[in-house]
Amino acid sequence: MDGFSNNASQRDEPAKAFAAMLAPVRSAFLASLPDHIAAFEEFCELERDEDRLELAGGLARRAHRIFGVAETLSFPKLGRSALDLEIKLGARTEIGALDGLVTNFVSEMRQALHA
Amino acid sequence: MKVLAVDDDPIFRAAFEAVLRHHDIADLDMAASGQEALRLVSTQTVPFDCIFVDIQMPEMNGIELAGILRAMDPEGRTQIVMVTGLSDRQYIDQAFMAGAVDYITKPLDALEFKARLSSIQRVHESRLRANAVQEQLAAATNLQHQIDYEDALTPPDVKGLISYMALRNYLKAIGRPRYALSQRIGICVENAANIFVRTNDEDFLDIMADVGEVIVETLKSQNLMVAYAGSGEFIAVSSAIYLASPEQLESQINTALEAYQEAYLIDAVPIVRVGKAMRGSIFARRSIDEGIDEALLSARARPTMHGYSRARSA
């Protein structure tokens, strides 16, 4: 069993080293979330579609960035929410009916912050 | 392997750097924009072997950057690999046309990334081996070839001609329905072997470049991709609904090639055969490679071009 444990621990070394390399990236990602949360909450406070459309491009870009890294940093649910939102924001067709998706996305970001 | 990765998102850049280092890529540079990437590329004494380019970037997007990088390196020594999100898939055609040879998707999937990186490394290693052989043969005579007749090297400086690897990756990327709608046309130079033995590498590739240029010019259609598959054979993929018959295409291509006759030092005007346009079915089980082979076989099976003077052929 000792031999197996040693082999297993040797096998774990690259994974541990990789996790160590990703740790500062994960911290930087989490540090960026409050700014994203504020941006999406501002969107929800807007009532006129025209005002929302003005923000849509920038928010789609934010969602795109979060989607690009969330899963790699072990936040798969957040990544999927980001993708859903990026697609809807990019389509710009249901801009007045995105509150549910945005709220869910903000909630995912808050959960990531408290993970 | 010397790698450059270009992405405007600092967090993705950091994550990507960690992933690349985890895969033992130590000679690594990162750039935050197209402009920074171009500065880095132009100041290297040894060129990058591979450049990963994000598609969505402000100011200069990834497709523009890939086009400039390919123009700076027409022989394709550097492999350009696009990094795409799901919403960028619509740009994949343009990326391949601009000079990309492959793409990876965000978020990075460990298995997919490993497979793609292995393929990039294999190409890199085969180039290293070819360079080593080239150095060993430096003292050889002019007509001794350092490339093999079968090598699918992309003839230089032909707008619209992409590498064979890029074409295969493109066909895999567009998905079954679009693949089935596209038409694949095999085109072979019937006297390519004779031309090969009577020329050196540079002249042979120049002649194949002329053939490639004429093919692109003759087929001229929407979303046309043409690649040199080695052994004097080309494969063209077109989404055009109507294409002229193989006989008509053959005649147009061979007539156009006559204009090049004066330029060749040897009496070896390439003579071209065009196969039937092959369209697949969504439900067909044939692989991409089998589809390509089928198109090339059709070209090889065409009768030789007796209408063209044998005296002129090699």
Side-chain angles (χ1 to χ4, degrees):
Chain A
M1 281 302 286
D2 281 351
F4 176 79
S5 321
N6 284 341
N7 286 341
S9 100
Q10 277 166 11
R11 275 199 303 272
D12 284 346
E13 285 307 310
K16 279 184 189 163
F18 183 49
M21 278 195 276
L22 280 183
V25 185
R26 195 178 150 98
S27 301
F29 175 69
L30 291 174
S32 73
L33 290 184
D35 185 49
H36 292 309
I37 290 172
F40 281 96
E41 284 181 338
E42 185 193 343
F43 175 83
C44 278
E45 282 161 17
L46 297 172
E47 288 176 0
R48 295 171 50 212
D49 280 2
E50 304 87 80
D51 296 334
R52 288 185 162 208
L53 277 169
E54 261 183 46
L55 295 185
L59 292 182
R61 180 92 194 116
R62 282 175 184 269
H64 178 79
R65 284 183 165 200
I66 292 170
F67 166 69
V69 289
E71 196 170 320
T72 310
L73 301 174
S74 308
F75 300 110
K77 269 179 81 183
L78 176 58
R80 280 193 294 276
S81 299
L83 176 62
D84 289 345
L85 203 48
E86 184 197 347
I87 291 168
K88 293 276 184 194
L89 284 165
R92 294 173 179 231
T93 47
E94 300 163 42
I95 210 77
L98 289 180
D99 287 11
L101 267 183
V102 174
T103 307
N104 178 50
F105 183 50
V106 167
S107 151
E108 291 289 351
M109 285 195 276
R110 289 195 192 286
Q111 280 180 40
L113 277 172
H114 296 111
Chain B
M1 188 163 72
K2 190 173 154 103
V3 170
L4 170 65
V6 193
D7 197 298
D8 64 307
D9 179 4
I11 295 174
F12 183 81
R13 260 197 327 275
F16 197 33
E17 181 173 357
V19 170
L20 286 166
R21 292 198 187 283
H22 178 61
H23 285 91
D24 298 323
I25 304 292
D27 193 352
L28 176 62
D29 278 291
M30 308 297 292
S33 66
Q35 287 84 351
E36 191 185 343
L38 292 175
R39 265 196 305 278
L40 271 168
V41 167
S42 56
T43 54
Q44 301 299 307
T45 45
V46 177
F48 289 104
D49 299 304
C50 176
I51 303 181
F52 290 96
V53 180
D54 181 34
I55 285 195
Q56 268 196 40
M57 290 191 290
E59 293 173 35
M60 185 190 297
N61 68 37
I63 292 162
E64 289 172 279
L65 176 60
I68 296 170
L69 289 170
R70 185 48 72 235
M72 289 165 77
D73 169 33
E75 286 170 18
R77 287 195 198 106
T78 301
Q79 300 181 70
I80 301 171
V81 178
M82 306 310 291
V83 183
T84 75
L86 275 182
S87 56
D88 308 325
R89 294 288 169 86
Q90 55 187 307
Y91 303 116
I92 283 178
D93 288 20
Q94 292 173 41
F96 277 101
M97 281 307 289
V101 297
D102 206 349
Y103 73 100
I104 56 169
T105 50
K106 287 180 180 178
L108 301 171
D109 174 81
L111 282 178
E112 186 203 349
F113 184 71
K114 197 174 170 184
R116 291 276 158 87
L117 195 62
S118 299
S119 147
I120 292 163
Q121 276 171 325
R122 275 198 300 277
V123 172
H124 169 63
E125 280 156 17
S126 75
R127 280 180 185 171
L128 285 182
R129 280 195 297 275
N131 287 345
V133 171
Q134 220 161 26
E135 281 167 21
Q136 285 166 11
L137 294 174
T141 63
N142 247 357
L143 285 186
Q144 249 175 337
H145 281 284
Q146 288 152 31
I147 61 170
D148 287 332
Y149 176 58
E150 295 80 14
D151 284 348
L153 296 170
T154 309
D157 301 328
V158 184
K159 201 176 169 198
L161 198 64
I162 63 173
S163 78
Y164 185 51
M165 182 173 86
L167 184 89
R168 289 170 65 234
N169 286 335
Y170 167 75
L171 289 175
K172 285 173 192 162
I174 59 175
R176 272 279 160 195
R178 275 188 65 195
Y179 172 70
L181 284 173
S182 70
Q183 303 199 68
R184 299 168 293 285
I185 305 137
I187 298 154
C188 69
V189 177
E190 75 177 41
N191 53 342
N194 282 327
I195 294 174
F196 186 77
V197 296
R198 296 173 64 182
T199 52
N200 61 21
D201 289 348
E202 196 183 342
D203 289 344
F204 179 72
L205 284 177
D206 277 349
I207 293 173
M208 290 305 118
D210 292 340
V211 177
E213 199 167 271
V214 169
I215 291 170
V216 170
E217 190 56 31
T218 307
L219 286 174
K220 223 192 273 176
S221 71
Q222 270 194 330
N223 296 336
L224 175 73
M225 302 255 177
V226 182
Y228 178 63
S231 308
E233 296 180 333
F234 291 79
I235 182 87
V237 177
S238 167
S239 60
I241 293 165
Y242 170 78
L243 281 172
S245 70
E247 293 80 7
Q248 285 170 317
L249 290 173
E250 255 171 21
S251 168
Q252 285 172 28
I253 293 171
N254 284 316
T255 304
L257 282 169
E258 284 181 6
Y260 291 82
Q261 188 178 8
E262 302 289 312
Y264 298 142
L265 292 175
I266 56 161
D267 184 16
V269 177
I271 297 173
V272 161
R273 284 189 247 166
V274 178
K276 273 197 303 194
M278 301 286 179
R279 216 190 269 273
S281 146
I282 299 178
F283 307 106
R285 294 204 172 168
R286 267 193 298 275
S287 69
I288 302 285
D289 289 330
E290 285 167 344
I292 290 175
D293 283 346
E294 183 187 37
L296 291 174
L297 265 174
S298 163
R300 285 177 216 141
R302 294 268 307 148
T304 51
M305 295 299 294
H306 295 299
Y308 286 83
S309 162
R310 302 306 300 168
R312 283 201 289 102
S313 67

